[in-house]
Amino acid sequence: MVPEAAGAAGTTAGTASGTTEDAALALGDDALVLSHRLAEWAGHAPALEEEVALANLALDLLGQARTLLTMVGDEDRLAFCRQERAFRNVQLVEQPNGDFAHTIARQLYFSTYQELLWEQLAAGDGPFAPLAAKAGPETAYHRDHAVTWTLRLGDGTRLSRERMQRAVDALWRYTGELTRPVAGLAGVDWAALAAGWAERVGATLRAATLTVPEAPARAVWSAGGGRQGIHTEPFGRLLAEMQHLHRSHPGARW
Amino acid sequence: MQVTEAAQVTQGAQVTEATEAARLRAVAAAVPDPELPVIGLGDLGVLRGLRLLGAGRVEVELTPTYTGCPAVEAMAGEVRRALLAAGAAEVEVRRVLAPPWSTDDITAEGRRRLAAAGIAPPRPLGRAPVTVPLLPGPPGEEHPVRCPRCGAADTELISRFSATPCTALRRCARCAEPFDQVKER
C-alpha cells in the first residue's frame, strides 16, 4: 500500500510550493477519477452514439492519467492502493453522474478548465509540455461535446432546460477549486485561466438560454478541498468500486 | 594503405547497417494498425524511428495517435513479433509523445487505403493547430468531408466519436450510407 504517493523518491524541481510529482499526481488524479465516472455510463447512456462518445472521453482521460501517474510511480499501485485522503483530484470530478444533465455540466466545467490549462502548459517548456500538446486537441473535442449538449438541453424543451439549469447550479460550488494554483505546476497564469474559464462557460450558458449562477463558486466548508485530500462522500463509494477487484485479488493478472 | 582499408571496411559496415535498418524499418512499417488494419503503421505515421543498437538489438519509437489509444500496446507487441521474425535478436519499443501525432502524418498512400476501405481520410490541416470553435456554427463548406463510397460532398455528422477515438461517424445524404471519418487533429 502506498501511504502518501506525493513526495515519492526522485522528485524534481517544480515550484517553491511543490514538486513536479505533486502536480503530476493532482492532474493525473483528475483524469483518472473523471475517467472512472464516465466509464460508469457504459450500458446506461441514452443512445448508442452517446455511449460510445462517453467511453471515448473516458479513454482519452485514462490515457492522460496513465502518462501522469507514471511520472509519479507505479500507475496501478497509485490507482488501486491509495486511500481516499491520498488522492489529489478536484472535488468536481468525483461528483456522481446524476442525470445526463449533471454529467454534461460536469463535462462543460472540467473540459473548459482542462483545455485552457493544456494550452498554457503546451506553450511552455516544462515537464508537462509534451503531454499538454498531445492532450490539448483531444480536450477541445471533449469541450465541443459538452457545449453541444449544453446548448441542446438548455435551449431544448421546458423539462430539459429545467434539468440542465438544476445541474449547472448544483455543480457550481465545485468550480472555484478548478482555478486554484496547483502545487508544483510552474508557469501557469491562474488569473488568466480563471478569466478565460468564466468567459467561455458564461458564453455557453447564455447561448443555451441558461442563467449563469451567482452563488459562490466554492463551498465554504471545503476551502482547498480535493487538492489537499479532502473529498466528498460519493468519492468513497467510487474508490470502493474502482479498487475492490485489485484489492481482493492482489497481483492477479489477465 | 592499412588506414584506407580500415576506412573502407568501416564504410562497408555502415552501408550494411543502414541497409539492415531500412529493411527492419520496412518490416515495422508494414505491421497493420490493430484498429484500422487496412493501413500500416508506417503510413499511419506512428512509427517515429528505428535504431540498431548492435548485436541484433533494435530500438523502435512509436507515438500514439491519441493519448489513451488502447491499440498502442497491441502495436508494440505486433512490431516486436514482426521484427523478431525478421531476424532481430532483441526489440525494445519506446512510446514517445513529442512532437504530437497529427492526422497530417498519414501518408498519401495511407489516405488512399483508408478511402478504399470506406473510411473517409482526414482533411489536411497544414501546420495550423486544430481549432474546435467555441460554439458550434454552420459546417465549413470549403473542405467538405466527402462520402468515401459515392464521393458526394453532402455528408452530415452523426457523432464526433465513433468506434475509435480517432474517428467520427458521418452519414452521406446522397447514398444514405453511414461511414467513419478519421477526424483531424
Side-chain angles (χ1 to χ4, degrees):
Chain A
M1 203 171 293
V2 179
E4 287 280 328
T11 52
T12 51
T15 60
S17 51
T19 63
T20 295
E21 283 76 9
D22 292 337
L25 192 66
L27 303 187
D29 284 348
D30 282 352
L32 175 69
V33 172
L34 187 56
S35 169
H36 187 84
R37 278 293 185 219
L38 289 170
E40 289 174 358
W41 273 107
H44 302 281
L48 182 59
E49 287 79 6
E50 199 46 39
E51 173 115 358
V52 173
L54 292 169
N56 270 307
L57 304 180
L59 197 57
D60 282 345
L61 288 162
L62 189 63
Q64 295 174 17
R66 294 187 64 181
T67 305
L68 288 159
L69 294 182
T70 302
M71 291 169 77
V72 181
D74 180 273
E75 55 178 342
D76 285 342
R77 284 182 64 82
L78 287 165
F80 299 126
C81 301
R82 269 183 302 159
Q83 306 277 12
E84 180 179 326
R85 290 294 291 265
F87 277 81
R88 292 290 178 265
N89 54 282
V90 290
Q91 292 177 349
L92 175 68
V93 296
E94 73 204 30
Q95 297 312 306
N97 286 337
D99 65 8
F100 192 66
H102 273 75
T103 291
I104 293 305
R106 193 183 60 202
Q107 284 303 110
L108 178 70
Y109 293 159
F110 186 78
S111 61
T112 303
Y113 149 75
Q114 214 190 18
E115 185 183 16
L116 289 162
L117 182 66
W118 291 144
E119 270 173 26
Q120 287 205 26
L121 292 174
D125 58 357
F128 298 103
L131 174 65
K134 180 97 196 140
E138 295 165 11
T139 307
Y141 281 114
H142 297 194
R143 187 256 306 146
D144 178 75
H145 171 264
V147 168
T148 305
W149 270 111
T150 302
L151 295 174
R152 185 165 165 189
L153 295 175
D155 196 11
T157 64
R158 190 187 59 77
L159 181 62
S160 75
R161 184 178 183 283
E162 188 182 298
R163 288 172 74 164
M164 192 65 220
Q165 184 68 56
R166 197 189 306 158
V168 162
D169 293 343
L171 292 173
W172 188 256
R173 78 186 70 160
Y174 300 107
T175 59
E177 195 185 1
L178 293 174
T179 50
R180 285 173 72 96
V182 173
L185 207 53
V188 175
D189 182 343
W190 292 99
L193 202 157
W197 187 90
E199 190 190 323
R200 291 184 180 192
V201 168
T204 301
L205 295 181
R206 282 188 291 274
T209 75
L210 296 164
T211 308
V212 181
E214 287 176 9
R218 195 175 302 147
V220 282
W221 49 265
S222 71
R227 294 285 187 234
Q228 291 157 19
I230 311 292
H231 295 283
T232 56
E233 191 183 338
F235 190 49
R237 291 194 288 276
L238 180 150
L239 279 190
E241 185 178 317
M242 188 173 87
Q243 297 184 335
H244 106 271
L245 191 69
H246 188 92
R247 288 178 183 266
S248 305
H249 305 276
R253 300 186 68 83
W254 289 108
Chain B
M1 282 306 276
Q2 268 191 330
V3 174
T4 316
E5 271 172 24
Q8 277 173 348
V9 170
T10 309
Q11 203 179 26
Q14 277 171 350
V15 169
T16 315
E17 194 176 304
T19 314
E20 177 65 357
R23 183 182 73 86
L24 291 175
R25 194 189 160 95
V27 168
V31 170
D33 175 76
E35 286 183 344
L36 302 168
V38 296
I39 182 171
L41 299 186
D43 283 329
L44 186 60
V46 299
L47 180 64
R48 278 285 162 80
L50 183 145
R51 292 198 304 143
L52 300 183
L53 302 175
R57 288 171 59 223
V58 183
E59 182 188 78
V60 182
E61 286 186 341
L62 286 181
T63 193
T65 53
Y66 276 66
T67 319
C69 182
V72 174
E73 279 161 36
M75 278 180 200
E78 291 297 320
V79 165
R80 187 174 292 116
R81 201 166 309 146
L83 290 174
L84 291 175
E90 200 180 313
V91 179
E92 189 194 340
V93 182
R94 292 181 49 220
R95 176 175 177 265
V96 293
L97 288 182
W101 177 84
S102 158
T103 41
D104 279 359
D105 297 339
I106 300 178
T107 63
E109 171 64 11
R111 285 161 200 273
R112 196 193 61 73
R113 284 172 177 265
L114 285 172
I119 301 166
R123 290 162 296 180
L125 286 169
R127 278 297 98 186
V130 66
T131 51
V132 181
L134 289 182
L135 290 173
E141 294 300 320
E142 320 92 86
H143 298 291
V145 178
R146 291 187 174 274
C147 172
R149 294 180 196 278
C150 75
D154 188 7
T155 66
E156 61 166 348
L157 182 71
I158 298 174
S159 173
R160 285 260 198 232
F161 300 91
S162 187
T164 66
C166 53
T167 54
L169 185 62
R170 301 186 69 94
R171 180 168 36 219
C172 174
R174 190 165 76 186
C175 72
E177 280 291 321
F179 64 92
D180 270 354
Q181 183 225 357
V182 176
K183 62 186 184 228
E184 297 80 16
R185 58 157 291 165

